[in-house]
């Protein structure tokens, strides 16, 4: 091509030794053309320095252009083409200030056609109607050539920009002291950023404990009442300073010298003794602040937007749009509550399955003529409301209103933080967060508030993610009164764990190790510490493998189980009722699956035909059954720490009673079972020798001694020792004092001095004056409680709190009720977080493994907290959806 265009013959080619230059095809081409070959020495690029330097220049230019315009690397070829084009049209010193183009063609190049790389360009629609099926001819100008040479559709580059915009909006800093200035954002997305901030409203952490500052010898601090007086005022926790939301958003519209100060936008206002300065900032009618406020009103009023004015929708069009949007939202509601996917593999017009969202919308249209007239093919081409971005906006609006309602229900109450992390189906580490608090009715509530993708599980990463969540929802860590995690080192580390990092900021956020997790660890420790028990569970796992590997064996197990159930029901040996005696299968025991060992023992009861196995089976069934009720109770959302401590004590008492008095009853059950199934029973007075030991060296013990002492008593004592070790928190002073609030047995545990000591753990809530008032109130309180019959039969401090609210006594004994709420706020178990991970596997399964993080978090939040979501009306969600961005349709 070079020879034909220039009229000159190529005589020599110098290159490196890469495969494309040393291939047989290239060598043959050079031989046929009489072209001399010159190969540089390996690892010596300077021998061909001109080309190497020019190649680096082109590469750096292309990378710089793509980075400047935030364009994807899929447009690399266009960027390189543009870089070469510009270099060939630029004068160089080597050619004595003429361009390579002029040296090659003999004429000066024209540059009037050059455009800014990556800018939007528009072409005449009439010209392209004959060449393109799409009626939209907007494209991104990605090169210096004309649009006819290079035309990249908006779908290619626009999708990348839309994704980038969504990332920006999803990670907007809520703290005004941490926000970048509005001028730092791309001009094309500033209105979207402003609209997002206006939807969230000013950052006003009303429950934060504002620090005091020494101003002229007096301690001053921000006054929370200023939020009510100045609705635009924001407070930065990181800078301890006040800011103006309106001026931050539109300060860039004014020139320097127009009365636009940096105090309320960049520096922050901290002179707390000069409230008049805040009023001076507002100024007169034409001040910068009031003009910025009007800009905000105009931005949120879509009726004044230029696109709305140009469209000029009729009243009937607005009615049709409302019907269409309501139908779409109803589809979204159904799919979110059921945890179903939205999109299909093929959503084209010829597809038989266009995805759940479109198919459900079609179902509504088929059963409602009003809906049918305004959706899908009967809707305007740009208002069908079926695009993936529309679906995501609707889901985000639902999730935002749900979390907003949860925060509103908290109403500034103290709360605890429950956190855990787990991998999703696409091997991403996800951190789930649950809040625990006491509502206005006195009920303990645990609410899932979101899931956050973390790059790693270090304590620093988890703390950063939690800070982002608190800032986004305008929550203050000063209101945190409890932490509940598992026992991982990144969570409970004494030096740099998540627990320690939070305690440094708030020393009253007391940490409680998950009680259910501790119980499971105690069971696992015993199972792994005794050889006989370990062998028993190994046999159970082998049974699961053998039966589970064959469909025929599974059917045999089901048939035998059905036969046994039928015989037991005929003999009235089994209770009947809903959900009982259903078909089941064997389940593998897991170290962290609650109740799995207990269920395995129950299901393996009739399978292995040996006395030793039968003894272990009945023994482990009894032992695990004694802890099963405790495990179930600890997983309740409304479980309080006082009742949990009582349940742990009851479990220990049950195990101790089993050790002292339960062996004979257990042995009778084993004998009865063996006799029924023709299993040989050894004489209990015979000598016992373990199968894996030498008969000569084996200790001389009887069968009864082995089963009673070496197995029964020893394992129960190990279990008690593990429970005492794992549940060491119950012996801490905080929980000992807390237990005195219990109303059990007519408040028999009441101790005034311990309750006063319990109040001292929270000095921010109980000042020395409050402690004196609490001491006087406790005497009246206990007399009132013990003389009222409705309080004599209460069990647990949760029931006490609800009854006090019901009778209005939470206002009479306000200090005592505050103690109750603090006690109920302390976490018991992280079962709610584990349930969130189970729900995550429903939402993001193998067929939906490419869900984005925001899409997953929004869908999961609504799916888990559907009882909150159903209380939100369509008008609220549609209002938020409309204000998220400029919509073509108007309500």
């Amino acid at each position: 091509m070079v020879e034909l265009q220039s009229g000159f013959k190529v005589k020599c080619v110098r290159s490196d030794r890469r495969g494309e230059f040393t291939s047989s095809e290239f060598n043959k081409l050079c031989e046929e053309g009489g072209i001399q070959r010159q190969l540089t020495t390996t690892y010596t690029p300077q021998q061909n320095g001109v080309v190497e330097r020019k190649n680096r220049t082109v590469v750096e230019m292309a990378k710089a252009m793509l980075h400047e315009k935030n364009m994807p690397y899929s447009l690399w070829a266009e960027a390189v083409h543009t870089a070469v084009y510009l270099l060939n049209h630029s004068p160089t010193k080597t050619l004595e200030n003429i361009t390579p183009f002029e040296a090659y063609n003999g004429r000066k190049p024209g540059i009037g056609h050059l455009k800014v790389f990556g800018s939007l360009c528009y072409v005449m629609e009439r010209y392209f109607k004959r060449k393109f099926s799409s009626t939209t001819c907007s494209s991104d100008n990605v090169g210096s050539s004309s649009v006819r040479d290079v035309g990249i559709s908006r779908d290619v580059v626009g999708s990348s920009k839309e994704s980038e915009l969504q990332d920006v909006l999803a990670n907007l800093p809520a703290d005004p002291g941490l926000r970048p200035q509005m001028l730092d954002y791309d001009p094309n997305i500033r209105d979207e950023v402003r609209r997002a901030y206006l939807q969230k409203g000013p950052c006003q952490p009303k429950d934060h404990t504002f620090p005091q500052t020494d101003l002229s010898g007096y301690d001053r601090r921000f006054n929370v009442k200023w939020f009510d007086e100045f609705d635009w005022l924001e407070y930065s926790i990181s800078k301890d300073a006040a800011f103006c939301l309106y001026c931050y958003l539109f300060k860039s519209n004014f020139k320097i010298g127009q009365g636009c100060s940096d105090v309320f936008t960049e520096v922050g206002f901290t002179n707390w003794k000069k409230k008049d300065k805040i009023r001076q900032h507002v100024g007169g009618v034409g001040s910068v602040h009031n003009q910025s406020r009007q800009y905000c009103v105009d931005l949120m009023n879509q009726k004044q937007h230029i696109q709305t004015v140009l469209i000029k929708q009729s009243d009937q069009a607005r009615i049709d749009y409302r019907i269409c949007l309501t139908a779409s939202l109803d589809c979204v509601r159904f799919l979110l509550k059921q945890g179903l996917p939205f999109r299909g593999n093929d959503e084209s017009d010829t597809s038989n399955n266009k995805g759940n969202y479109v198919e459900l919308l079609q179902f509504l249209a088929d059963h409602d003529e009003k809906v049918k007239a305004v959706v899908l093919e009967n809707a305007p081409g740009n208002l069908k409301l079926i695009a993936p971005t529309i679906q995501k906006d609707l889901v985000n609006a639902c999730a935002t209103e749900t979390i907003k309602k949860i925060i509103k229900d908290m109403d500034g109450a103290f709360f605890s933080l429950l956190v855990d992390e787990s991998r999703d189906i696409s091997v991403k580490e996800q951190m789930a967060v649950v809040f625990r608090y006491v509502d206005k009715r006195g009920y303990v509530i645990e609410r899932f508030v979101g899931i956050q993708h973390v790059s790693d599980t270090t304590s620093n990463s988890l703390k950063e993610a939690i800070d982002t969540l608190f800032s986004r929802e305008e929550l203050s860590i000063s209101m945190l009164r409890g932490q509940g995690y598992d026992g991982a080192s990144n969570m409970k580390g004494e030096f740099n764990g998540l627990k320690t990092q939070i305690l440094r900021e708030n020393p009253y956020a007391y940490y409680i190790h998950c009680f259910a997790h501790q119980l499971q660890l105690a069971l696992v420790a015993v199972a792994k510490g005794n050889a006989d028990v370990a062998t028993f569970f190994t046999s159970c796992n082998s049974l699961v493998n053998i039966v589970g590997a064959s469909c025929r064996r599974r059917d045999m197990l089901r048939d035998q189980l059905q036969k046994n159930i039928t015989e037991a029901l005929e003999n009235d040996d089994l209770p009947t009722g809903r959900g009982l005696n259903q078909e089941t299968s064997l389940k593998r025991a897991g170290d962290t699956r609650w109740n799995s060992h207990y269920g395995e023992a129950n299901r393996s009861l009739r399978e292995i035909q040996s006395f030793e196995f039968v003894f272990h089976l009945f023994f482990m069934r009894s032992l695990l059954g004694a802890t099963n009720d405790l495990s179930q109770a600890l997983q309740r959302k409304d479980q309080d720490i006082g009742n949990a401590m009582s349940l742990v004590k009851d479990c220990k008492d049950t195990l101790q009673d089993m050790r002292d008095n339960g062996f004979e009853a257990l042995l009778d059950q084993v004998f009865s079972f063996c006799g029924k199934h023709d299993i040989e029973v050894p004489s209990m007075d015979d000598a016992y020798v373990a199968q894996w030991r030498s008969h000569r060296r084996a200790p001389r013990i009887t069968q009864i001694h082995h089963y009673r002492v070496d197995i029964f008593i020893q394992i129960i004592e190990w279990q008690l020792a593990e429970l005492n070790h794992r549940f060491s928190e119950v012996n801490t002073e905080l929980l000992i004092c807390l237990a005195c609030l219990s109303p059990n047995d007519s408040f028999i545990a009441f101790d005034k001095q311990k309750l006063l000591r319990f109040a001292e753990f929270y000095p921010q809530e109980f000042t020395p004056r409050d402690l004196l008032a609490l001491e006087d109130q406790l005497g009246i309180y206990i007399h009132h409680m013990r003389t009222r019959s409705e309080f004599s039969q209460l069990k647990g401090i949760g029931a006490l709190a609800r009854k006090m609210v019901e009778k209005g006594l939470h206002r009479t004994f306000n200090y005592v009720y505050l103690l109750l709420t603090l006690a109920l706020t302390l976490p018991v178990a992280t079962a709610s977080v584990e349930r969130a991970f189970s729900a995550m596997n429903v939402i993001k399964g193998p067929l939906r493994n490419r869900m984005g993080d925001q899409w997953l978090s929004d869908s999961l939040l609504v799916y888990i907290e559907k009882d909150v979501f159903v209380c939100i009306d369509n008008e609220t969600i549609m209002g938020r959806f409309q204000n998220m961005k400029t919509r073509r349709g108007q309500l």
Side-chain angles (χ1 to χ4, degrees), residues 671-689:
F671 287 162
S672 175
F673 182 86
C674 292
K676 184 177 180 180
H677 294 84
D678 298 326
I679 299 175
E680 182 180 357
V681 179
S683 174
M684 292 293 103
D685 295 329
D686 291 346
Y688 174 83
V689 179

Side-chain angles (χ1 to χ4, degrees), residues 67 142 200 279 289 441 447 460 479 489 541 552 606 612 621 695 705 710 781 816 818 847 857 878:
H67 178 74
V142 296
K200 296 174 66 173
R279 294 193 179 94
H289 172 85
R441 301 172 300 161
R447 293 294 186 193
N460 292 332
M479 300 300 292
S489 59
N541 286 332
R552 175 172 164 271
R606 302 172 182 86
E612 187 172 11
R621 181 178 179 274
H695 285 226
H705 181 277
D710 294 346
Y781 159 79
V816 178
L818 179 57
L847 298 180
S857 180
M878 289 192 297

Side-chain angles (χ1 to χ4, degrees), residues 88 145 177 184 201 224 226 245 253 268 278 365 403 422 443 486 545 567 573 622 628 644 653 676 716 758 764 852:
N88 288 333
S145 302
D184 296 337
V224 70
W226 293 346
L245 175 62
N253 288 18
I278 303 179
I403 189 67
S422 177
Y443 284 83
D486 58 18
N545 293 333
E567 293 178 357
D573 293 336
S622 301
N628 183 59
D653 294 340
K676 184 177 180 180
I716 293 180
F758 177 55
Q764 287 191 337

Side-chain angles (χ1 to χ4, degrees), residues 276-331:
D276 292 340
K277 296 289 185 181
I278 303 179
R279 294 193 179 94
Q280 291 178 12
H281 168 75
V282 176
V285 177
S287 66
V288 171
H289 172 85
N290 285 321
Q291 291 185 61
S292 299
R293 185 187 190 109
Q294 187 60 43
Y295 286 151
C296 293
V297 174
D298 295 341
L299 179 64
M300 299 304 291
N301 185 6
Q302 295 201 21
K303 295 181 180 179
Q304 297 185 10
H305 198 277
I306 184 64
Q307 293 186 9
T308 307
V309 176
L310 292 176
I311 294 174
K312 293 183 179 179
Q313 290 184 335
S314 64
D315 292 340
Q316 185 59 43
R318 295 175 184 272
I319 295 174
D320 293 345
Y321 176 69
R322 177 178 288 276
I323 296 174
C324 180
L325 181 57
T326 302
S328 301
L329 182 55
D330 289 339
C331 296

Side-chain angles (χ1 to χ4, degrees), residues 55 68 129 176 181 229 264 267 278 283 307 332 335 379 384 437 535 563 584 588 591 601 614 718 722 773 819 840:
N55 181 57
E68 173 65 22
K129 275 186 176 179
Q181 292 302 303
E229 186 174 353
F264 282 88
V267 180
I278 303 179
Q307 293 186 9
V332 169
L335 296 176
K384 291 183 179 294
Y437 62 96
T535 302
K563 179 181 177 181
T584 184
R588 188 182 310 278
D591 286 354
V614 172
W718 283 359
E722 280 294 325
L819 286 178
M840 181 179 68

